[in-house]
Amino acid sequence: MPLEAVEARRLYRQVADQLRALIDSGEYAVGSRLPTERDIAEQLKVSRPTVREALIALEVEGRVRIRVGSGIYVSDPAALAAPLPASAMIEGPFELLRAREFIEGAIAEEAARVAKPEDIARIDASLLAMANTQHPGDASMIHDRAFHVAVAGSLDNAVLVRVVGELFDQRLNPYFAKLAHYFENPESWGAALSEHQAIRDAIAARDPDAARLTMREHLARSQERFAQNFGTEAASPRAQARSG
């Protein structure tokens, strides 16, 4: 497979560019299956999440079709979407989650020191709304966002509230939305709700270390949920059933 190792920021865009060029050159015909995530990652010397982001970008463009539990197949080029220009600078989902893990961990730590009863009440209100909302759906994302913004709001700093809100809103980019389509479900929502509750409890207990760790663990586990394999390697029975 004629691929070249790459190293730079936003590696997933370079991986997507190489795979797109191979498809356009006829190296992979319409209907053929691409190599597995693992094989691509090993040949390019990049992480599997980077490969996953690249494949998601190609699916958004209509270049490939991901069949959970089966593999990634080259699509008919009849109705392709144009690739996003480099100027669009869309961060990959894992890049966003890693940034949130770092920033929101520090925010939660400080929230445990300064949160007032009314701040805890706002956090509790968002948790109650999450518990009474079906997922996936627009309403669940609104309440999820409200939780993270409420934690940031405890610091009484409008800049941090805006930063947290804007980072969360990056979930609306097409790459993140497509990845979420595969891996978010009622079970993952229940896990996220439990993790949110642990963050709230640490803040209410005024335990900065626990608040930082529970927030970082929540966002790290979000990355793990999105890092599940959607190819042919070790596909779960559930994934196979969903592959249709």
Side-chain angles (χ1 to χ4, degrees):
M1 181 176 177
L3 292 171
E4 300 174 1
V6 294
E7 52 180 0
R9 286 197 66 200
R10 291 184 177 82
L11 287 175
Y12 83 94
R13 296 288 291 271
Q14 293 195 37
V15 174
D17 289 345
Q18 288 201 45
L19 292 173
R20 187 188 305 108
L22 290 172
I23 291 170
D24 289 346
S25 70
E27 180 76 19
Y28 298 110
V30 171
S32 66
R33 188 167 68 182
L34 294 181
T36 65
E37 285 180 35
R38 178 182 298 156
D39 289 342
I40 295 172
E42 288 177 352
Q43 292 188 57
L44 292 174
K45 297 180 173 58
V46 298
S47 69
R48 290 180 68 176
T50 295
V51 173
R52 189 171 295 108
E53 287 175 334
L55 293 170
I56 288 292
L58 292 175
E59 187 179 37
V60 169
E61 294 175 18
R63 298 276 178 165
V64 302
R65 179 185 176 191
I66 296 170
R67 300 177 185 171
V68 176
S70 177
I72 299 93
Y73 296 83
V74 178
S75 296
D76 188 328
L80 294 178
L84 290 169
S87 59
M89 298 295 284
I90 290 182
E91 291 82 5
F94 294 97
E95 188 175 7
L96 283 166
L97 287 168
R98 285 192 294 270
R100 289 183 59 198
E101 181 184 344
F102 179 79
I103 294 168
E104 295 192 50
I107 289 172
E109 177 180 358
E110 185 64 15
R113 297 190 179 100
V114 303
K116 301 181 288 294
E118 54 267 35
D119 297 319
I120 302 300
R122 279 192 289 271
I123 294 171
D124 286 342
S126 68
L127 286 173
L128 180 61
M130 286 182 68
N132 292 315
T133 300
Q134 291 187 337
H135 184 77
D138 292 341
S140 62
M141 287 297 95
I142 290 170
H143 300 314
D144 192 351
R145 184 186 192 278
F147 170 84
H148 289 276
V149 168
V151 171
S154 301
L155 277 61
D156 196 25
N157 185 308
V159 174
L160 290 175
V161 169
R162 184 172 70 250
V163 167
V164 168
E166 289 177 352
L167 283 173
F168 190 95
D169 291 343
Q170 291 301 308
R171 290 179 61 102
L172 302 178
N173 80 50
Y175 299 168
F176 207 125
K178 181 66 74 172
L179 191 62
H181 165 75
Y182 287 109
F183 299 119
E184 289 193 338
N185 51 56
E187 290 76 16
S188 69
W189 181 246
L193 180 57
S194 296
E195 292 158 16
H196 282 193
Q197 184 67 51
I199 296 164
R200 178 267 179 208
D201 290 346
I203 292 172
R206 298 198 173 280
D207 188 335
D209 289 340
R212 181 186 70 255
L213 289 172
T214 52
M215 178 65 83
R216 295 199 65 160
E217 286 173 1
H218 163 56
L219 292 166
R221 288 173 182 168
S222 295
Q223 294 174 59
E224 291 171 4
R225 286 189 278 271
F226 285 139
Q228 298 174 64
N229 177 61
F230 52 38
T232 58
E233 306 142 86
S236 68
R238 181 182 175 193
Q240 292 172 356
R242 290 179 60 195
S243 66

